[in-house]
């Protein structure tokens, strides 16, 4: 089977996280949405996304089954999608969930609208706004844990650790010493070659990606995911950190999402609760204003390549755009535009050639080529976001 995961209006409302990727490349739980569908369907997959992203995230040329990339699979939805016949579309309350073309085609909303519609009656998790990622992370982490570990035998941790509960799965090469793992309230998944260093305390639900490290004395609360090739420390609660990012020192991160290639300076903290306990608002790129989230707890949304210096203080409900570079004393504004350079005292434009110089060094440390495809995507984002940089 071959599938393409298509973007809909959620790509717009999920910015700045989706400036650098299709919606289906978002990580929630243990896997990305694309990995969930491809794994559950044993399918090869591609992406139907924005033109400037398609070089890095191409469509699969042989797909006839198209699935909404903002929707996470579950057992009932998988059954409904795989049961589609040629020329049928699956919808719920006007939302296109999936469709099956009669022949190989590119994603086409008009084509989907002309197909025979089947109504889906069940519920499902859809990622429509950035805060949905940490909000639904617990449910998705538990689903991914069951999928990835079904019928398999876990590796063993050293006897120096204290284990509470039996929902712990250890992939090949994962190690931990002198730490506590409490899976009584949710599963704990340690990815291949990951490391938990001495004195750490971890409560489930929790996932640690392949080749990532939890530093000594770290405190991690449930509903938290650390993606592959990350290093974390300090105190983390209900946060999702994607691959190749670091929060390696003391400081609090809660009810937050960090993209790829982010770095959090030592002793940085984010607020996730307002002093008056009021509902938190987040910057919305589509509305070009702040949007009510309906949440009392909401922290930091940080897009790819964003970084902050030591002792940075993020206010409740802060959005930091792609390649924002934040430093200095005081609280920076709640919306930090893409390619902004500065802090509470003011911002300048982070010149793209300067950003490229930094990115090349960051990629080189991971033995990855910062190639022309990456540069072209970031250049496009720099142009797309010019109107937000009123410095």
């Amino acid at each position: 089977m071959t599938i393409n995961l298509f973007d809909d209006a959620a790509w717009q409302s999920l910015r700045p996280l989706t400036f650098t990727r299709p919606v289906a490349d978002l990580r929630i739980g243990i896997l990305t949405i694309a990995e969930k569908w491809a794994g559950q369907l044993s399918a090869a997959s591609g992406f139907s996304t924005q033109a400037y992203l398609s070089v890095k995230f191409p469509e699969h040329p042989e797909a006839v089954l198209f699935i909404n990339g903002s929707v996470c699979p579950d057992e009932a939805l998988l059954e409904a999608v795989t049961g589609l016949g040629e020329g049928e579309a699956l919808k719920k309350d006007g939302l296109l969930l999936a469709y099956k073309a009669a022949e190989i085609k590119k994603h086409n909303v008009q084509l989907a609208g002309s197909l025979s519609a089947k109504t889906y009656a069940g519920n499902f998790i859809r990622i429509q706004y950035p805060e949905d990622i940490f909000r639904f992370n617990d449910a998705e982490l538990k689903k991914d844990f069951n999928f990835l570990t079904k019928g398999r035998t876990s590796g063993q941790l050293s006897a120096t650790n204290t284990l509470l509960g039996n929902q712990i799965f250890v992939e090949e090469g994962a190690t931990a010493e002198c730490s506590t793992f409490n899976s009584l309230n949710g599963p704990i998944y340690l990815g291949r070659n990951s490391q938990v260093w001495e004195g750490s305390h971890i409560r489930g639900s929790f996932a640690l990606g392949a080749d990532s490290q939890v530093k000594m004395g770290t405190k991690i609360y449930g509903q938290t995911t650390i993606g592959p090739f990350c290093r974390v420390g300090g105190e983390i609660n209900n946060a999702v950190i994607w691959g190749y990012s670091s929060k390696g020192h003391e400081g609090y991160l809660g009810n937050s999402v960090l993209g790829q290639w982010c770095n959090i300076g030592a002793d940085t903290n984010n607020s996730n609760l307002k002093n008056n306990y009021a509902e938190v608002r987040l910057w919305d790129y589509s509305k070009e204003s702040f949007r009510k989230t309906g949440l009392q707890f909401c922290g930091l949304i940080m897009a790819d390549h964003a970084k902050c210096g030591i002792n940075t203080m993020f206010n409740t409900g802060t959005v930091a755009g792609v390649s924002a570079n934040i430093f200095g004393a005081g609280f920076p504004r709640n919306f930090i535009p893409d390619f902004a350079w500065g802090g509470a005292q003011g911002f300048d434009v982070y010149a793209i050639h300067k950003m490229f110089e930094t990115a090349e060094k960051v990629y080189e440390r991971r033995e990855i080529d910062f190639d022309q495809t990456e540069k072209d995507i970031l250049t496009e984002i720099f142009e797309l976001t010019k109107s937000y940089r009123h410095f």
Side-chain angles (χ1 to χ4, degrees):
M1 179 181 291
T2 55
I3 61 174
N4 275 326
L5 295 133
F6 64 84
D7 287 344
D8 65 359
W11 186 88
Q12 304 285 342
S13 55
L14 281 159
R15 292 175 294 173
L17 300 177
T18 47
F19 271 132
T20 47
R21 59 176 48 77
V23 175
D25 192 54
L26 298 173
R27 185 178 303 278
I28 178 172
I30 302 174
L31 305 169
T32 67
I33 297 174
E35 289 170 343
K36 297 174 196 288
W37 282 104
Q40 294 277 7
L41 296 174
S42 300
S45 63
F47 301 89
S48 300
T49 186
Q50 318 305 306
Y52 76 91
L53 294 172
S54 61
V55 174
K56 183 177 179 181
F57 300 96
E59 283 191 309
H60 196 290
E62 299 179 359
V64 293
L65 180 59
F66 295 82
I67 300 171
N68 190 319
S70 68
V71 175
C72 298
D74 57 40
E75 187 174 343
L77 188 56
L78 283 162
E79 183 178 350
V81 169
T82 55
L84 285 173
E86 288 186 357
E88 291 185 333
L90 187 67
K91 298 182 179 181
K92 181 170 183 178
D93 299 330
L95 177 68
L96 179 63
L97 302 178
Y99 66 96
K100 193 170 186 180
E103 58 187 56
I104 298 171
K105 296 179 182 292
K106 289 183 176 292
H107 169 57
N108 187 308
V109 175
Q110 286 72 33
L111 169 66
S114 69
L115 302 179
S116 175
K118 296 178 68 174
T119 300
Y120 184 69
N123 297 316
F124 50 85
I125 290 177
R126 183 184 183 220
I127 308 306
Q128 190 173 4
Y129 298 106
E131 66 270 23
D132 290 340
I133 295 170
F134 68 77
R135 182 182 174 195
F136 296 123
N137 195 56
D138 180 57
E140 285 300 309
L141 201 159
K142 290 172 179 175
K143 286 196 300 185
D144 288 348
F145 181 88
N146 290 335
F147 170 68
L148 290 172
T149 64
K150 185 177 181 180
R152 301 176 61 211
T153 301
S154 171
Q156 297 297 310
L157 290 179
S158 164
T160 64
N161 299 289
T162 299
L163 309 183
L164 304 175
N166 56 11
Q167 291 191 89
I168 301 175
F169 194 91
V170 181
E171 295 284 6
E172 181 180 359
T175 60
E177 298 291 346
C178 301
S179 295
T180 63
F181 298 89
N182 182 348
S183 67
L184 295 174
N185 295 314
I188 294 174
Y189 177 86
L190 303 182
R192 176 181 48 82
N193 297 330
S194 62
Q195 301 174 12
V196 179
W197 298 357
E198 306 91 280
S200 295
H201 300 290
I202 296 173
R203 291 173 62 94
S205 58
F206 172 71
L208 182 63
D211 298 285
S212 286
Q213 300 168 338
V214 176
K215 294 179 69 177
M216 290 189 296
T218 302
K219 300 183 290 293
I220 299 180
Y221 299 87
Q223 307 179 53
T224 294
T225 294
I226 310 300
F229 298 96
C230 294
R231 178 175 286 186
V232 298
E235 185 178 11
I236 303 172
N237 175 42
N238 188 200
V240 179
I241 302 178
W242 294 341
Y244 300 96
S245 289
S246 295
K247 181 212 169 297
H249 305 283
E250 294 299 321
Y252 177 74
L253 181 72
N255 302 99
S256 297
V257 181
L258 266 60
Q260 291 187 335
W261 306 107
C262 296
N263 189 72
I264 301 292
D267 292 317
T268 289
N269 293 278
N270 81 274
S271 168
N272 62 344
L273 176 67
K274 299 181 74 170
N275 283 358
N276 61 0
Y277 288 57
E279 177 183 355
V280 180
R281 301 188 306 156
L282 281 178
W283 177 261
D284 188 301
Y285 280 76
S286 298
K287 296 181 177 180
E288 296 191 351
S289 62
F290 288 89
R291 167 183 53 79
K292 292 182 178 180
T293 64
L295 300 176
Q296 191 175 61
F297 289 90
C298 184
L300 171 67
I301 305 297
M302 179 176 273
D304 286 10
H305 297 283
K307 296 171 176 59
C308 69
I310 62 170
N311 295 333
T312 302
M313 300 187 296
F314 288 109
N315 228 321
T316 320
T318 293
V319 173
V322 176
S323 299
N325 199 304
I326 307 122
F327 52 87
F331 286 96
R333 54 198 283 190
N334 286 52
F335 169 50
I336 303 164
D338 310 80
F339 296 92
W341 173 279
Q345 308 308 312
F347 286 94
D348 293 316
V349 177
Y350 190 5
I352 194 163
H353 71 278
K354 291 290 187 182
M355 183 269 159
F356 283 176
E357 290 175 4
T358 300
E360 286 172 353
K361 295 173 184 176
V362 172
Y363 275 56
E364 184 179 3
R365 291 181 69 238
R366 301 287 192 172
E367 299 181 349
I368 297 175
D369 182 27
F370 182 60
D371 60 18
Q372 192 60 47
T373 297
E374 297 293 339
K375 293 177 183 178
D376 289 345
I377 289 172
L378 290 164
T379 299
E380 181 71 17
I381 297 166
F382 185 82
E383 295 299 319
L384 287 172
T385 57
K386 271 186 175 180
S387 62
Y388 302 108
R389 294 189 290 272
H390 303 298
F391 307 140

